[in-house]
């Protein structure tokens, strides 16, 4: 299941596989907390020797999203089944599900959330007639950023020179045929990402072997993630900068292989706009099969 795979029109809200809005059994009237800025934890501290305070970091809290005016419309006698379907889709759980909202013709946005509260008014007449109104759903997204549905990616190999013309086998100038074939372009080891939102995005980074001491550097800031590890041809090292994890072949933690010059994984972000990145490795590690791939979603406050 892809996040938002059932969202088709303005007014659609999809939580996991449950779709609410136009054309469904579940209507709604208002959505609070979606376009609002999240709460903030402030690191600002008062000045001890003067007026005012020293500005500190502002860190966003979890986002609370409330869908009010929930209405359920069914054929007479079918309300119980519709309510049970809603209950199953919004049951308490430990993990978060994708919550996708499309408000107008703009692309929908995504958060990962859990349903904390479900209110469904019960009235004998409403159940019999197939109409319940005045309900509500409340969600909490521990990551307050809203993300684009499309996961973007970029990949590169280690830097390699272009082959150029082989003058030992190229005919004389009078017999050259244009355009000349200089061979396949060499890799620069460069990556470029574009975060179209207004919030920093956390990418996932995958290094594939064979390679030693793989690293990825933000060209503008100089921040780097680097790992003192030798990857074989069939090895992959996945770095999740949001969760701060480093996993070898999908199961074994290799967080301890981060070198002294490597920044903490959650610090390695893609700010709004374009970011240039460079894939490098240990001297002598030049196998063309080695690669680095990044994946990210544009992030919005």
């Amino acid at each position: 299941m892809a996040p938002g795979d059932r969202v088709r029109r303005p007014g659609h809200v999809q939580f996991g596989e449950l779709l609410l809005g136009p054309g469904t059994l579940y209507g709604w009237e208002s959505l609070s907390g979606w376009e609002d800025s999240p709460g903030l934890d402030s690191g600002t501290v008062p000045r001890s020797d003067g007026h005012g305070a020293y500005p500190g970091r502002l860190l966003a809290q979890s986002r609370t999203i409330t869908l009010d005016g929930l209405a359920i419309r069914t054929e007479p006698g079918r309300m119980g089944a519709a309510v049970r379907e809603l209950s199953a889709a919004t049951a308490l759980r430990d993990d978060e599900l994708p919550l996708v909202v499309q408000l107008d013709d703009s692309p929908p946005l995504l958060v990962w959330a859990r349903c904390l509260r479900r209110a469904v008014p019960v009235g004998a007449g409403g159940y019999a007639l197939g109409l319940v109104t005045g309900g509500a759903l409340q969600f909490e997204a521990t990551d307050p950023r809203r993300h684009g549905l499309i996961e973007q990616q970029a990949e590169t190999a280690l830097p390699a020179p272009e082959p150029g013309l082989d003058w030992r086998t190229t005919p004389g100038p009078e017999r050259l045929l244009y355009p000349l074939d200089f061979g396949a372009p060499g890799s620069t080891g460069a990556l470029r990402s574009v975060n179209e939102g207004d919030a920093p995005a956390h990418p996932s980074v995958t290094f594939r072997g064979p390679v030693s001491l793989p690293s990825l550097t933000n060209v503008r800031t100089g921040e780097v993630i680097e790992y003192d590890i030798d990857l074989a041809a069939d090895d992959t090292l996945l770095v999740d900068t949001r969760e701060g994890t480093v996993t070898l072949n999908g199961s074994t933690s290799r967080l301890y292989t981060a070198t002294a010059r490597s920044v903490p994984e959650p610090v390695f972000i893609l700010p709004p706009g374009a970011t240039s990145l460079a894939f490098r490795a240990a001297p002598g590690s030049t196998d063309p099969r080695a690669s680095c791939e990044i994946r990210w979603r544009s992030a919005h406050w």
Side-chain angles (χ1 to χ4, degrees), residues 158-279:
L158 286 168
E162 295 187 2
L165 286 174
D166 187 349
W167 294 104
R168 294 170 299 176
T169 60
T170 301
E174 71 282 357
R175 290 181 292 162
L176 289 178
L177 299 177
Y178 292 87
L180 299 177
D181 182 6
F182 285 86
S187 171
T188 63
L191 291 164
R192 184 175 183 270
S193 69
V194 178
N195 175 5
E196 298 173 343
D198 57 5
H202 277 99
S204 65
V205 181
T206 302
F207 297 106
R208 295 185 177 88
V211 65
S212 297
L213 198 69
S215 69
L216 186 65
T217 302
N218 183 319
V219 174
R220 184 180 66 84
T221 65
E223 292 176 334
V224 59
I225 50 173
E226 181 182 65
Y227 302 95
D228 188 6
I229 191 172
D230 296 324
L231 299 179
D234 57 349
D235 284 338
T236 60
L237 190 71
L238 174 62
V239 183
D240 186 329
T241 62
R242 160 69 180 165
E243 299 299 328
T245 59
V246 181
T247 308
L248 177 65
N249 297 331
S251 60
T252 309
S253 174
R254 287 293 181 268
L255 184 61
Y256 65 86
T257 65
T259 67
R261 75 187 191 104
S262 186
V263 300
E265 284 73 17
V267 174
F268 197 82
I269 59 170
L270 303 177
T275 301
S276 296
L277 304 159
F279 172 38

Side-chain angles (χ1 to χ4, degrees), residues 121-146:
V122 176
Y127 267 58
L129 295 174
L131 177 61
V132 169
T133 60
L137 296 173
Q138 188 173 77
F139 305 92
E140 182 187 57
T142 54
D143 182 349
R145 294 168 297 181
R146 298 172 299 162

Side-chain angles (χ1 to χ4, degrees), residues 14 32-33 106-107 134-135 184 222 261 290 293:
Q14 183 177 348
S32 62
S106 302
R261 75 187 191 104
E293 178 188 64

Side-chain angles (χ1 to χ4, degrees), residues 15 33-34 38-41 59-65 93-99 110-116 138-147 202 242-243 300-301:
F15 178 62
W34 183 256
L40 296 173
D41 290 323
L59 299 176
Q61 300 171 355
S62 299
R63 182 183 293 273
T64 300
I65 304 153
R93 55 189 303 137
D94 293 332
D95 59 327
E96 294 178 312
L97 294 177
L99 174 65
L110 158 74
V111 297
W112 282 268
R114 294 182 293 182
C115 185
L116 301 185
Q138 188 173 77
F139 305 92
E140 182 187 57
T142 54
D143 182 349
R145 294 168 297 181
R146 298 172 299 162
H147 296 83
H202 277 99
R242 160 69 180 165
E243 299 299 328
H300 307 256
W301 285 125

